Coordinates of all heavy atoms in Angstrom, one line a residue:
M250 N 99.8 84.1 87.7 CA 99.0 82.9 87.5 C 99.8 81.8 86.9 O 100.4 82.0 85.9 CB 97.8 83.3 86.6 CG 96.8 82.2 86.4 SD 95.5 82.9 85.4 CE 95.2 81.5 84.4
K251 N 99.8 80.7 87.5 CA 100.6 79.5 87.1 C 99.6 78.6 86.3 O 98.6 78.1 86.9 CB 101.2 78.9 88.3 CG 102.2 77.9 88.0 CD 102.9 77.4 89.2 CE 104.1 76.5 88.9 NZ 104.7 76.0 90.0
C252 N 100.0 78.3 85.1 CA 99.2 77.4 84.3 C 100.0 76.1 84.0 O 101.2 76.2 83.7 CB 98.8 78.0 83.0 SG 97.6 79.4 83.2
D253 N 99.3 75.0 84.0 CA 100.0 73.7 83.6 C 99.9 73.5 82.1 O 99.2 74.2 81.4 CB 99.5 72.6 84.4 CG 98.0 72.4 84.3 OD1 97.4 73.4 83.7 OD2 97.4 71.4 84.8
A254 N 100.7 72.5 81.7 CA 100.8 72.3 80.2 C 99.4 71.9 79.6 O 99.1 72.4 78.5 CB 101.8 71.2 80.0
P255 N 98.6 71.1 80.2 CA 97.3 70.8 79.5 C 96.4 72.1 79.4 O 95.7 72.2 78.4 CB 96.6 69.8 80.5 CG 97.7 69.2 81.2 CD 98.8 70.2 81.3
T256 N 96.5 73.0 80.3 CA 95.7 74.2 80.2 C 96.2 75.1 79.1 O 95.4 75.6 78.3 CB 95.8 75.0 81.6 OG1 95.4 74.2 82.6 CG2 94.9 76.2 81.5
I257 N 97.5 75.2 79.0 CA 98.1 76.0 77.9 C 97.7 75.3 76.5 O 97.4 76.1 75.6 CB 99.6 76.1 78.1 CG1 99.9 76.9 79.3 CG2 100.2 76.7 76.9 CD1 101.3 76.9 79.7
E258 N 97.8 74.0 76.4 CA 97.4 73.3 75.2 C 95.9 73.6 74.8 O 95.6 73.7 73.7 CB 97.7 71.8 75.3 CG 99.2 71.5 75.3 CD 99.9 72.0 74.0 OE1 99.2 71.9 72.9 OE2 101.0 72.5 74.1
A259 N 95.1 73.5 75.8 CA 93.6 73.8 75.6 C 93.4 75.2 75.1 O 92.6 75.4 74.1 CB 92.8 73.5 76.9
I260 N 94.1 76.2 75.7 CA 94.0 77.5 75.2 C 94.5 77.7 73.8 O 93.8 78.3 72.9 CB 94.7 78.5 76.2 CG1 94.0 78.5 77.5 CG2 94.8 79.9 75.6 CD1 94.8 79.2 78.6
N261 N 95.6 77.1 73.5 CA 96.2 77.1 72.1 C 95.2 76.5 71.1 O 95.0 77.0 70.0 CB 97.5 76.5 72.1 CG 98.6 77.3 72.7 OD1 98.5 78.5 72.8 ND2 99.7 76.7 73.1
A262 N 94.6 75.4 71.5 CA 93.6 74.7 70.6 C 92.4 75.6 70.3 O 92.0 75.7 69.2 CB 93.2 73.4 71.2
C263 N 91.9 76.3 71.4 CA 90.8 77.2 71.2 C 91.2 78.3 70.2 O 90.4 78.7 69.3 CB 90.3 77.8 72.5 SG 89.5 76.5 73.5
I264 N 92.4 78.9 70.4 CA 92.9 80.0 69.5 C 93.0 79.5 68.1 O 92.6 80.2 67.2 CB 94.2 80.5 70.1 CG1 93.9 81.3 71.4 CG2 94.8 81.5 69.1 CD1 95.2 81.7 72.1
R265 N 93.6 78.3 67.9 CA 93.7 77.8 66.6 C 92.4 77.5 65.9 O 92.2 77.8 64.7 CB 94.5 76.4 66.6 CG 96.0 76.7 66.6 CD 96.7 75.3 66.4 NE 97.8 75.3 67.4 CZ 97.9 74.6 68.5 NH1 96.9 73.8 68.8 NH2 98.9 74.6 69.3
L266 N 91.4 77.0 66.7 CA 90.1 76.8 66.2 C 89.4 78.1 65.8 O 88.9 78.2 64.7 CB 89.2 76.1 67.3 CG 87.7 75.9 66.9 CD1 87.6 74.9 65.8 CD2 86.9 75.4 68.1
F267 N 89.6 79.1 66.6 CA 89.0 80.4 66.3 C 89.6 81.0 65.0 O 88.9 81.5 64.1 CB 89.1 81.4 67.5 CG 88.6 82.8 67.2 CD1 87.2 83.0 67.1 CD2 89.4 83.8 66.9 CE1 86.7 84.2 66.8 CE2 89.0 85.1 66.6 CZ 87.6 85.3 66.6
L268 N 90.9 81.0 65.0 CA 91.6 81.6 63.8 C 91.3 80.8 62.5 O 91.2 81.4 61.5 CB 93.1 81.6 64.1 CG 93.6 82.6 65.2 CD1 95.1 82.5 65.4 CD2 93.2 84.0 64.8
G269 N 91.2 79.5 62.7 CA 90.8 78.7 61.5 C 89.4 79.0 61.0 O 89.2 79.1 59.8
R270 N 88.5 79.3 61.9 CA 87.2 79.7 61.5 C 87.1 81.1 60.9 O 86.4 81.4 60.0 CB 86.2 79.6 62.7 CG 86.0 78.3 63.3 CD 85.3 77.4 62.3 NE 85.1 76.1 63.0 CZ 85.0 74.9 62.3 NH1 85.1 74.9 61.0 NH2 84.8 73.8 63.0
V271 N 87.9 82.0 61.4 CA 88.0 83.4 60.9 C 88.4 83.4 59.5 O 88.0 84.2 58.7 CB 88.9 84.2 61.9 CG1 89.1 85.6 61.2 CG2 88.2 84.5 63.2
D272 N 89.4 82.5 59.1 CA 89.9 82.5 57.8 C 88.8 82.1 56.8 O 88.9 82.5 55.6 CB 91.1 81.5 57.6 CG 92.3 82.1 58.2 OD1 92.4 83.3 58.5 OD2 93.2 81.3 58.5
Q273 N 87.8 81.4 57.2 CA 86.8 80.9 56.3 C 85.6 82.0 56.2 O 84.7 81.8 55.4 CB 86.2 79.6 56.8 CG 87.2 78.5 56.9 CD 86.7 77.3 57.6 OE1 85.5 77.2 58.0 NE2 87.5 76.2 57.6
L274 N 85.6 83.0 57.0 CA 84.6 84.0 56.9 C 84.7 84.9 55.7 O 85.7 85.1 55.1 CB 84.6 84.9 58.2 CG 84.3 84.3 59.5 CD1 84.5 85.3 60.6 CD2 82.8 83.8 59.5
H275 N 83.5 85.4 55.3 CA 83.5 86.4 54.3 C 84.2 87.7 54.8 O 84.3 88.0 56.0 CB 82.0 86.8 54.0 CG 81.9 87.7 52.8 ND1 81.9 89.0 52.9 CD2 81.7 87.4 51.5 CE1 81.7 89.6 51.7 NE2 81.6 88.6 50.8
T276 N 84.8 88.4 53.8 CA 85.6 89.6 54.2 C 84.8 90.6 55.0 O 85.3 91.2 56.0 CB 86.2 90.3 53.0 OG1 86.9 89.3 52.2 CG2 87.1 91.4 53.3
G277 N 83.6 90.8 54.7 CA 82.7 91.8 55.4 C 82.5 91.3 56.8 O 82.5 92.1 57.8
V278 N 82.2 90.0 57.0 CA 82.0 89.5 58.3 C 83.3 89.5 59.1 O 83.3 89.8 60.3 CB 81.5 88.1 58.3 CG1 81.3 87.5 59.6 CG2 80.2 88.0 57.5
F279 N 84.4 89.3 58.5 CA 85.7 89.3 59.1 C 86.0 90.7 59.6 O 86.5 90.9 60.7 CB 86.8 88.9 58.1 CG 88.2 89.0 58.7 CD1 88.6 88.0 59.6 CD2 89.1 90.0 58.4 CE1 89.9 88.0 60.1 CE2 90.3 90.1 58.9 CZ 90.8 89.1 59.8
L280 N 85.6 91.8 58.9 CA 85.8 93.1 59.3 C 84.9 93.5 60.4 O 85.2 94.5 61.1 CB 85.6 94.1 58.1 CG 86.7 94.0 57.0 CD1 86.4 94.9 55.8 CD2 88.1 94.3 57.5
L281 N 83.8 92.8 60.6 CA 83.0 93.0 61.8 C 83.5 92.2 63.0 O 83.3 92.7 64.1 CB 81.5 92.6 61.5 CG 80.8 93.4 60.5 CD1 79.4 92.8 60.2 CD2 80.6 94.9 61.0
V282 N 84.0 91.1 62.8 CA 84.4 90.2 63.9 C 85.7 90.8 64.6 O 85.7 90.8 65.8 CB 84.6 88.8 63.4 CG1 85.3 87.9 64.5 CG2 83.3 88.1 63.0
V283 N 86.6 91.2 63.8 CA 87.9 91.7 64.4 C 87.7 92.9 65.3 O 88.2 92.9 66.5 CB 88.9 91.9 63.3 CG1 90.2 92.6 63.9 CG2 89.3 90.6 62.7
P284 N 87.0 93.9 64.9 CA 86.8 95.0 65.9 C 86.0 94.6 67.1 O 86.2 95.1 68.2 CB 86.0 96.1 65.0 CG 86.3 95.8 63.7 CD 86.5 94.3 63.6
L285 N 85.0 93.7 66.9 CA 84.2 93.2 68.1 C 85.2 92.5 69.0 O 85.1 92.7 70.3 CB 83.1 92.3 67.6 CG 82.2 91.7 68.7 CD1 81.5 92.8 69.4 CD2 81.3 90.7 68.1
L286 N 86.1 91.7 68.5 CA 87.0 90.9 69.4 C 87.9 91.9 70.1 O 88.1 91.8 71.3 CB 87.8 90.0 68.5 CG 88.8 89.1 69.3 CD1 88.1 88.2 70.2 CD2 89.7 88.3 68.3
I287 N 88.4 92.9 69.4 CA 89.3 93.9 70.0 C 88.5 94.7 71.1 O 89.0 95.0 72.2 CB 89.8 94.9 68.9 CG1 90.8 94.1 68.0 CG2 90.5 96.1 69.6 CD1 91.2 94.9 66.8
T288 N 87.2 95.0 70.8 CA 86.4 95.7 71.8 C 86.2 94.9 73.1 O 86.3 95.4 74.2 CB 85.0 96.1 71.2 OG1 85.3 96.9 70.0 CG2 84.2 96.9 72.2
V289 N 85.9 93.6 72.9 CA 85.7 92.7 74.0 C 86.9 92.6 74.9 O 86.9 92.6 76.1 CB 85.1 91.3 73.5 CG1 85.2 90.3 74.7 CG2 83.8 91.5 73.0
V290 N 88.1 92.4 74.2 CA 89.3 92.2 74.9 C 89.7 93.5 75.6 O 90.1 93.5 76.8 CB 90.5 91.8 73.9 CG1 91.8 91.9 74.6 CG2 90.2 90.4 73.4
G291 N 89.4 94.7 75.0 CA 89.7 96.0 75.6 C 88.8 96.2 76.8 O 89.2 96.7 77.9
A292 N 87.5 95.8 76.7 CA 86.6 96.0 77.8 C 87.0 95.1 79.0 O 87.0 95.5 80.2 CB 85.2 95.6 77.4
A293 N 87.5 93.9 78.7 CA 88.0 93.0 79.8 C 89.2 93.5 80.4 O 89.3 93.5 81.7 CB 88.2 91.6 79.2
A294 N 90.1 94.1 79.7 CA 91.3 94.7 80.2 C 90.9 95.9 81.1 O 91.5 96.1 82.2 CB 92.3 95.1 79.1
L295 N 90.0 96.7 80.6 CA 89.6 97.9 81.4 C 88.9 97.4 82.7 O 89.1 98.0 83.8 CB 88.6 98.7 80.6 CG 88.1 100.0 81.3 CD1 89.2 100.9 81.6 CD2 87.0 100.6 80.4
A296 N 88.1 96.3 82.7 CA 87.5 95.8 83.9 C 88.6 95.4 84.9 O 88.4 95.6 86.1 CB 86.6 94.7 83.5
V297 N 89.6 94.7 84.4 CA 90.7 94.3 85.3 C 91.4 95.5 85.9 O 91.7 95.5 87.1 CB 91.7 93.4 84.5 CG1 93.0 93.2 85.4 CG2 91.1 92.1 84.2
V298 N 91.6 96.5 85.2 CA 92.2 97.8 85.7 C 91.3 98.4 86.7 O 91.8 98.9 87.8 CB 92.6 98.7 84.5 CG1 93.0 100.1 85.1 CG2 93.7 98.2 83.7
V299 N 90.0 98.5 86.5 CA 89.1 99.1 87.4 C 89.1 98.3 88.7 O 89.1 98.9 89.8 CB 87.7 99.2 86.8 CG1 86.7 99.5 87.8 CG2 87.7 100.2 85.7
V300 N 89.1 97.0 88.6 CA 89.0 96.2 89.9 C 90.3 96.4 90.6 O 90.3 96.5 91.9 CB 88.8 94.7 89.5 CG1 89.1 93.8 90.7 CG2 87.4 94.5 89.0
A301 N 91.5 96.4 89.9 CA 92.8 96.6 90.6 C 92.8 98.0 91.3 O 93.3 98.1 92.4 CB 93.9 96.5 89.6
A302 N 92.3 99.0 90.6 CA 92.2 100.3 91.2 C 91.3 100.4 92.5 O 91.7 101.0 93.5 CB 91.7 101.4 90.2
A303 N 90.2 99.7 92.4 CA 89.3 99.6 93.6 C 90.0 98.9 94.7 O 89.9 99.3 95.9 CB 88.0 98.9 93.2
V304 N 90.7 97.8 94.5 CA 91.4 97.1 95.5 C 92.5 98.0 96.1 O 92.7 98.0 97.4 CB 92.0 95.8 95.0 CG1 93.0 95.1 96.0 CG2 90.9 94.8 94.7
F305 N 93.2 98.7 95.3 CA 94.2 99.6 95.7 C 93.6 100.7 96.6 O 94.2 101.0 97.7 CB 94.9 100.2 94.5 CG 96.0 101.2 94.9 CD1 97.3 100.7 95.3 CD2 95.9 102.5 94.8 CE1 98.3 101.5 95.6 CE2 96.9 103.4 95.1 CZ 98.1 102.9 95.5
L306 N 92.5 101.3 96.2 CA 91.9 102.3 97.1 C 91.4 101.8 98.4 O 91.5 102.5 99.4 CB 90.7 103.0 96.3 CG 91.2 103.9 95.1 CD1 89.9 104.3 94.3 CD2 92.0 105.0 95.6
V307 N 90.8 100.6 98.4 CA 90.3 100.0 99.6 C 91.5 99.7 100.6 O 91.4 100.0 101.8 CB 89.5 98.7 99.4 CG1 89.3 98.0 100.6 CG2 88.2 99.1 98.7
A308 N 92.6 99.2 100.0 CA 93.8 98.9 100.9 C 94.3 100.2 101.4 O 94.7 100.3 102.6 CB 94.8 98.2 100.0
G309 N 94.4 101.3 100.6 CA 94.8 102.6 101.1 C 93.9 103.1 102.2 O 94.4 103.7 103.2
A310 N 92.6 103.0 102.0 CA 91.7 103.5 103.0 C 91.9 102.7 104.3 O 91.8 103.3 105.4 CB 90.3 103.4 102.5
L311 N 92.0 101.4 104.2 CA 92.3 100.6 105.5 C 93.5 101.0 106.2 O 93.6 101.1 107.4 CB 92.3 99.1 105.1 CG 90.9 98.5 104.8 CD1 91.1 97.1 104.3 CD2 90.0 98.6 106.0
G312 N 94.6 101.3 105.4 CA 95.8 101.8 106.0 C 95.7 103.1 106.7 O 96.2 103.3 107.8
V313 N 94.9 104.0 106.1 CA 94.7 105.3 106.8 C 93.9 105.1 108.1 O 94.2 105.7 109.1 CB 94.0 106.3 105.8 CG1 93.5 107.5 106.6 CG2 94.9 106.7 104.7
I314 N 92.9 104.2 108.0 CA 92.1 104.0 109.2 C 92.9 103.4 110.3 O 92.8 103.8 111.5 CB 90.9 103.1 108.8 CG1 89.9 103.8 108.0 CG2 90.2 102.5 110.1 CD1 88.8 103.0 107.3
L315 N 93.8 102.4 110.0 CA 94.6 101.8 111.0 C 95.6 102.7 111.6 O 95.8 102.7 112.8 CB 95.3 100.6 110.4 CG 94.4 99.4 110.1 CD1 95.2 98.3 109.4 CD2 93.8 98.8 111.3
M316 N 96.2 103.6 110.8 CA 97.1 104.6 111.3 C 96.4 105.6 112.2 O 96.9 106.0 113.2 CB 97.8 105.4 110.2 CG 98.8 104.5 109.5 SD 99.9 105.4 108.3 CE 99.1 106.8 107.8
A317 N 95.2 106.0 111.8 CA 94.4 106.9 112.7 C 94.0 106.3 114.0 O 94.1 106.9 115.1 CB 93.1 107.3 111.9
R318 N 93.7 105.0 114.0 CA 93.4 104.3 115.2 C 94.6 104.2 116.1 O 94.5 104.4 117.4 CB 92.9 102.9 114.9 CG 91.4 102.8 114.5 CD 91.0 101.4 114.3 NE 91.1 100.7 115.6 CZ 91.0 99.4 115.7 NH1 90.7 98.7 114.7 NH2 91.1 98.8 116.9
R319 N 95.7 104.0 115.5 CA 97.0 103.9 116.3 C 97.3 105.3 116.9 O 97.7 105.3 118.1 CB 98.1 103.5 115.3 CG 99.4 103.2 116.0 CD 100.4 102.8 114.9 NE 101.5 102.1 115.5 CZ 102.6 101.7 114.8 NH1 102.6 101.9 113.5 NH2 103.6 101.2 115.4
G320 N 97.1 106.4 116.2 CA 97.3 107.7 116.8 C 96.3 108.0 117.9 O 96.7 108.6 118.9
I321 N 95.1 107.7 117.6 CA 94.0 107.9 118.7 C 94.3 107.1 119.9 O 94.2 107.7 121.1 CB 92.6 107.6 118.1 CG1 92.3 108.6 117.1 CG2 91.6 107.5 119.2 CD1 91.0 108.2 116.3
N322 N 94.7 105.9 119.8 CA 95.1 105.1 121.0 C 96.3 105.6 121.7 O 96.4 105.6 122.9 CB 95.3 103.6 120.6 CG 94.0 102.9 120.2 OD1 92.9 103.3 120.6 ND2 94.1 101.9 119.4
A323 N 97.3 106.1 120.9 CA 98.5 106.7 121.6 C 98.1 107.9 122.3 O 98.6 108.2 123.4 CB 99.5 107.0 120.5
A324 N 97.3 108.8 121.7 CA 96.8 110.0 122.4 C 96.0 109.7 123.7 O 96.2 110.4 124.7 CB 96.0 110.9 121.4
A325 N 95.2 108.7 123.6 CA 94.4 108.3 124.8 C 95.3 107.8 125.9 O 95.1 108.1 127.1 CB 93.3 107.3 124.4
A326 N 96.3 107.0 125.5 CA 97.2 106.5 126.5 C 98.0 107.6 127.1 O 98.3 107.6 128.3 CB 98.1 105.4 125.9
H327 N 98.4 108.6 126.3 CA 99.2 109.7 126.8 C 98.3 110.6 127.8 O 98.8 111.0 128.8 CB 99.7 110.6 125.7 CG 100.5 111.7 126.1 ND1 101.7 111.6 126.6 CD2 100.2 113.1 126.1 CE1 102.2 112.8 126.9 NE2 101.3 113.7 126.6
S328 N 97.1 110.8 127.4 CA 96.2 111.6 128.3 C 95.8 110.9 129.6 O 95.5 111.5 130.6 CB 95.0 112.1 127.5 OG 94.2 111.1 127.1
A329 N 95.8 109.6 129.5 CA 95.4 108.8 130.7 C 96.5 108.6 131.7 O 96.3 108.2 132.8 CB 94.8 107.4 130.3
A330 N 97.7 108.9 131.2 CA 98.9 108.6 132.1 C 98.9 109.7 133.2 O 98.4 110.7 133.1 CB 100.2 108.7 131.2
A331 N 99.6 109.3 134.3 CA 99.7 110.2 135.4 C 100.5 111.4 135.0 O 101.5 111.3 134.3 CB 100.3 109.4 136.6
P332 N 100.1 112.6 135.5 CA 100.9 113.7 135.1 C 102.3 113.7 135.8 O 102.4 113.1 136.9 CB 100.0 114.9 135.6 CG 99.1 114.3 136.7 CD 98.9 112.9 136.3
A333 N 103.2 114.3 135.1 CA 104.5 114.4 135.7 C 104.6 115.3 136.9 O 103.9 116.4 136.9 CB 105.5 114.9 134.7
V334 N 105.2 114.9 137.9 CA 105.3 115.7 139.1 C 106.6 116.5 139.0 O 107.7 116.0 138.9 CB 105.3 114.8 140.4 CG1 105.5 115.7 141.6 CG2 104.1 114.0 140.4
T335 N 106.4 117.9 139.2 CA 107.6 118.8 139.2 C 107.7 119.4 140.5 O 106.7 119.7 141.2 CB 107.4 119.8 138.1 OG1 106.2 120.6 138.3 CG2 107.4 119.2 136.7
T336 N 108.9 119.6 141.0 CA 109.1 120.2 142.3 C 109.9 121.5 142.2 O 110.6 121.7 141.2 CB 109.8 119.3 143.3 OG1 111.0 118.8 142.6 CG2 108.9 118.1 143.6

């Protein structure tokens, strides 16, 4: 993914804003926010892995189907060919 400079600056500004707000939180709230953030980021990473695995499986299934069609077409062409004449 290619990001331009304004996008990166906007992301950095959001991170700085969040970290600045976290410093102002009470310690108990801070201990609740950090695990929640880690859980959300972990869930997003897991979702990305699941989607990648699904795409990989679909691509593999399509490859198997295409190879099977190729074999079936080759067998059909072979059986439709005129028999060899032996003398």
Side-chain angles (χ1 to χ4, degrees):
M250 184 174 139
K251 192 173 184 181
C252 293
D253 53 351
T256 304
I257 294 171
E258 288 299 322
I260 292 171
N261 286 338
C263 289
I264 292 171
R265 277 191 224 103
L266 175 68
F267 177 74
L268 291 177
R270 298 289 184 211
V271 167
D272 285 344
Q273 297 171 0
L274 290 176
H275 186 272
T276 305
V278 178
F279 179 75
L280 292 176
L281 291 175
V282 169
V283 170
L285 179 64
L286 181 65
I287 291 171
T288 304
V289 169
V290 170
L295 181 63
V297 169
V298 169
V299 168
V300 169
V304 168
F305 181 77
L306 289 174
V307 168
L311 287 174
V313 169
I314 290 169
L315 290 175
M316 286 189 341
R318 283 185 58 193
R319 190 177 194 184
I321 291 169
N322 287 338
H327 179 72
S328 62
V334 178
T335 58
T336 54

